[in-house]
DNA sequence: TAATATGTACCTGTATCAGATACAAATACA
DNA sequence: TGTATTTGTATCTGATACAGGTACATATTA
């Protein structure tokens, strides 16, 4: 199970909302994991130019505003690929068989269409989209 | 890595195209796996009413025509769920924190929209869609 | 009755991922 | 200047998921 993407979104919301610097330890506490894991994800986000930080100095800073940062960028940063890979394809089909020889490219093409659509959805949604949904939920909770 | 879905599609194409009964052993040879695994998938497809078979009698038969059988049905049969589950969500966010308390439902809602679209795509594509793509590729290969 | 095939249970090997520890490098602050 | 703090990074471990594989009961065919 790969939860880097959801952890990264959680982390970025914290960074974006917090007024005082959030250390990897405080972030880990909210995400429910350990500081090392947070720093691992931070490294990926930093490499992609999404956040800024420096050794010894507490906290992380967003390089983009929340409505400029797409979920697509976050996804690519933490997964290290621009492929969503919706479904895995079995690895050893038999080349001696017509179906076996063509199944991989056929499914790659077919699944690729779906994946492209999912990617374009991710490009249209931003960190702000996410924060807005959350804010609505928080408001609903409060008015109960 | 879960390749039951792609293996199932491969298997169903073989069953659909073959003129003589395909045993689990022959199917396994083309898919590149072992007969037991094929029979495991066959069991799931059978339980979903997609194929028919009987103990001792060689081969499997489709209960629907290739253009009636959607990829959605195949997916649900082998995965045992109608959730596509595009992205995993981290498990232990901290309830004491506002963000931690709302991150899971927020992401479930957000990802759910993407997943619903992917599902509706799968509902529109059938086994025949898949076979058509493959046939095109085979034709191209032959005219080279 | 023998051979063959499906149905199913069970164990194993491998890959992946988060959890965790450790420590170097840089900064902040007294 | 020196100590505490924090990021950055490597490495190991534990848990989990999945396909590979064996075994055998059950049903059919000839």
């Amino acid at each position: 199970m790969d939860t880097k993407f959801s952890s990264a979104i959680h982390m970025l919301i914290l960074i974006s909302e917090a007024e005082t610097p959030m250390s990897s330890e405080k972030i880990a506490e909210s995400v429910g994991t350990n500081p090392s894991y947070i720093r691992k994800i931070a490294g990926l986000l930093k490499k992609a130019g999404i956040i800024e930080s420096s050794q010894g100095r507490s906290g992380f800073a967003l390089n983009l505003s929340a409505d400029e940062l797409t979920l697509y960028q976050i996804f690519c940063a933490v997964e290290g690929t621009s492929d969503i890979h919706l479904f895995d394809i079995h690895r050893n089909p038999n080349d001696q068989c017509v179906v076996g020889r063509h199944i991989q490219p056929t499914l790659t093409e077919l699944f690729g269409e779906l994946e492209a659509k999912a990617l374009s959805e991710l490009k249209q949604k931003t960190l702000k989209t996410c924060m807005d949904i959350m804010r609505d939920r928080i408001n609903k909770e409060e008015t109960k």
Side-chain angles (χ1 to χ4, degrees), chain A:
Chain A
M1 180 185 27
D2 189 339
T3 56
K4 289 196 291 294
F5 185 40
S6 73
S7 299
I9 294 173
H10 187 153
M11 172 178 177
L12 289 165
I13 292 176
L14 290 176
I15 294 172
S16 175
E17 299 273 84
E19 293 170 6
T20 55
M22 292 288 287
S23 67
S24 59
E25 187 167 349
K26 278 197 278 185
I27 295 171
E29 202 178 322
S30 172
V31 174
T33 180
N34 60 85
S36 163
Y37 184 57
I38 294 299
R39 294 199 292 271
K40 198 181 294 178
I41 293 175
L44 297 169
L45 295 173
K46 190 175 178 179
K47 200 159 65 179
I50 293 173
I51 60 174
E52 203 54 60
S53 65
S54 56
Q55 213 162 289
R57 179 174 302 149
S58 183
F60 305 85
L62 272 176
N63 282 335
L64 299 78
S65 64
D67 63 340
E68 287 169 336
L69 178 57
T70 67
L71 298 190
Y72 175 74
Q73 289 172 278
I74 302 172
F75 177 85
C76 294
V78 295
E79 298 302 330
T81 173
S82 57
D83 285 348
I84 271 204
H85 206 67
L86 276 179
F87 312 105
D88 290 308
I89 299 175
H90 54 295
R91 284 178 179 157
N92 306 304
N94 190 343
D95 278 354
Q96 302 299 104
C97 168
V98 195
V99 176
R101 191 162 55 251
H102 291 89
I103 189 73
Q104 284 179 331
T106 296
L107 292 182
T108 301
E109 179 179 333
L110 187 65
F111 293 165
E113 296 172 24
L114 300 185
E115 288 161 359
K117 289 188 185 177
L119 282 181
S120 80
E121 290 287 324
L122 280 188
K123 285 178 186 168
Q124 287 164 27
K125 296 188 190 297
T126 66
L127 185 62
K128 182 169 184 301
T129 312
C130 208
M131 289 163 62
D132 287 344
I133 293 177
M134 183 175 289
R135 214 182 311 275
D136 281 352
R137 291 188 160 269
I138 293 172
N139 289 339
K140 276 182 198 164
E141 185 194 47
E142 283 169 357
T143 55
K144 258 183 199 167

